[in-house]
Amino acid sequence: MKVDDIRSQLRRRGVSGTSALRKPELVKTLARTMRSEGRGGAARRSTGPAGRPAAKKTTAAKKTAAAKKTTAARRKATSPAKSAPAARATGARAKATGTRRAAPARAKATASRAKAAPARKASSARATTSPSRAKAAPSRAKAAPSRAKAAPSRAKAAPSRAKAAPARKAASARAQAAPTLGPASSRSIGSSQLITSLADRPERPGRSLVTRNHEVIQRWARARGAKPATIAGTERGDRPGVLTFNIPGYRESGRIREVTWDDWFRTFDSRRLNLIYQEQMRDGRQSNFFRTENPNREDG
C-alpha cells in the first residue's frame, strides 16, 4: 500500500497525527489498530498514532511529544524484534508492492540490455582494430626521424626564399617599367639608360634616360615646376591628345592645355608610351629636355 492509502485507512479508523509519521510507523500503527478492532475494541473518536486517547497539550508539549514518538517509532522500525502478526502483515504488503513494482523494473532491465548490445559490439570492433594500430605505430615511429631530418633542410630553404623575394619584386618592377618597343621606336630608346624606380640615378651628367615609372615621372616634373598637359587640337573625343608638360619659361605655347595627373597617366599607359628625358646637362646644370614617344607612331 502507498503512504497516502495507509493514512486514509488510519483516518477512517479515527487515528489522528499521522502526517508526521513515515511508512514503517504508519504500518505498525495500522496493524495495532486492526488488531484492536479484531479483539472487539470500539473505535475511539480521537486517538493518537499509538491508539491512545489524545490529550490537550500546549504547542511546545505537542511538538516534544511528537518528536519523542517519531524517535521511538524509528527505533522500533529499525529493531529486528517485531511482533509476528505485524511482521506477517508487513511482509504480505511488501510482497504485493514488490510484485507490482517488479514489472517496470524488468522492462527497464530489458531496455538497458538492448541499449548495451551496440556498445558491446563497438567494443569488440575496437578490440579487433587495436592490433592493426599497434602494428602501424612502429612505422610512424620510423617516419618521425625522417621528418626530423627534413626539418633543417626546410629551415635552410626559408632564408633563401626570403632573400629571393626582393629580387623577384625588383625584377617585376623592372619588367613593368621597361620601355615598350614597336615599329616607330627611335634608336635613342636602345641607347638610353633605363630608370625603373626612385632609387635609380643617372650614370653621368647629360645621360639620356628612359622610363615608364609614374613616381619617377612625377618627381622629375615637380623638380621643374612642370604641370601635366596636352596639345590643344590633338584630343581624341574626351581623351587628351599629344602628352606634354607645361614648364614655366620652357616651350611656352598657347596650344598647351593642362590636364590632371590621372588623365595624363591613363593616356600614357593606354598608349604604352615611353618618356625619354634628361636630369642634367653635360655641364651639370638642370635639364628640361623630355619627349614622349609612341612605339607605334612618331609622336606621343
Side-chain angles (χ1 to χ4, degrees):
M1 294 177 67
K2 294 183 179 180
V3 174
D4 293 338
D5 296 336
I6 299 173
R7 284 176 178 154
S8 63
Q9 291 282 345
L10 291 171
R11 280 196 295 272
R12 283 199 298 270
R13 287 171 169 78
V15 179
S16 61
T18 60
S19 59
L21 300 181
R22 296 188 178 182
K23 188 172 181 179
E25 291 89 339
L26 293 171
V27 172
K28 292 172 68 173
T29 304
L30 180 60
R32 284 196 297 270
T33 305
M34 293 173 67
R35 284 199 302 273
S36 63
E37 289 177 354
R39 289 195 295 269
R44 298 176 178 86
R45 284 179 292 178
S46 176
T47 60
R52 292 188 297 275
K56 292 182 181 180
K57 298 179 181 179
T58 62
T59 304
K62 287 181 179 179
K63 289 182 179 179
T64 303
K68 289 181 180 179
K69 289 179 181 178
T70 303
T71 304
R74 289 198 189 107
R75 288 175 181 172
K76 289 181 180 179
T78 55
S79 176
K82 293 184 179 180
S83 60
R88 284 195 294 271
T90 304
R93 292 191 191 92
K95 287 181 181 179
T97 305
T99 303
R100 287 195 298 271
R101 292 179 180 176
R106 285 195 294 272
K108 288 181 180 180
T110 303
S112 64
R113 284 196 296 273
K115 290 179 180 179
R120 286 196 296 272
K121 290 180 180 179
S123 177
S124 176
R126 284 195 297 272
T128 304
T129 57
S130 58
S132 61
R133 291 198 194 95
K135 292 178 181 179
S139 61
R140 286 196 297 270
K142 291 179 181 178
S146 61
R147 287 195 296 270
K149 291 179 181 178
S153 61
R154 287 195 297 270
K156 291 179 181 178
S160 62
R161 286 196 296 271
K163 291 179 181 178
R168 285 197 297 271
K169 289 182 180 178
S172 176
R174 283 194 297 271
Q176 291 178 359
T180 55
L181 302 176
S185 297
S186 64
R187 293 181 180 179
S188 59
I189 291 289
S191 61
S192 299
Q193 178 185 343
L194 176 62
I195 303 297
T196 61
S197 69
L198 296 174
D200 294 342
R201 288 288 181 264
E203 297 170 351
R204 63 180 183 275
R207 185 76 163 90
S208 177
L209 310 173
V210 61
T211 189
R212 299 191 70 251
N213 185 281
H214 293 189
E215 293 179 342
V216 171
I217 295 172
Q218 284 184 314
R219 183 184 64 180
W220 183 90
R222 281 196 300 268
R224 291 155 180 79
K227 303 292 183 182
T230 183
I231 304 298
T234 62
E235 295 88 350
R236 302 174 186 177
D238 57 347
R239 294 182 301 171
V242 176
L243 298 183
T244 185
F245 290 106
N246 185 15
I247 305 176
Y250 182 77
R251 291 187 182 179
E252 292 183 348
S253 171
R255 295 182 61 195
I256 293 179
R257 183 174 63 84
E258 292 184 5
V259 296
T260 64
W261 276 115
D262 290 340
D263 290 341
W264 199 94
F265 280 126
R266 190 181 300 112
T267 304
F268 185 84
D269 292 336
S270 64
R271 296 179 190 168
R272 299 180 62 78
L273 302 181
N274 303 309
L275 180 68
I276 302 173
Y277 68 104
Q278 278 183 329
E279 286 283 359
Q280 293 174 324
M281 300 181 192
R282 289 185 179 180
D283 59 5
R285 289 181 299 166
Q286 187 182 68
S287 174
N288 292 333
F289 169 77
F290 71 92
R291 178 162 61 89
T292 56
E293 182 189 75
N294 191 320
N296 299 311
R297 277 206 313 263
E298 196 170 313
D299 295 327

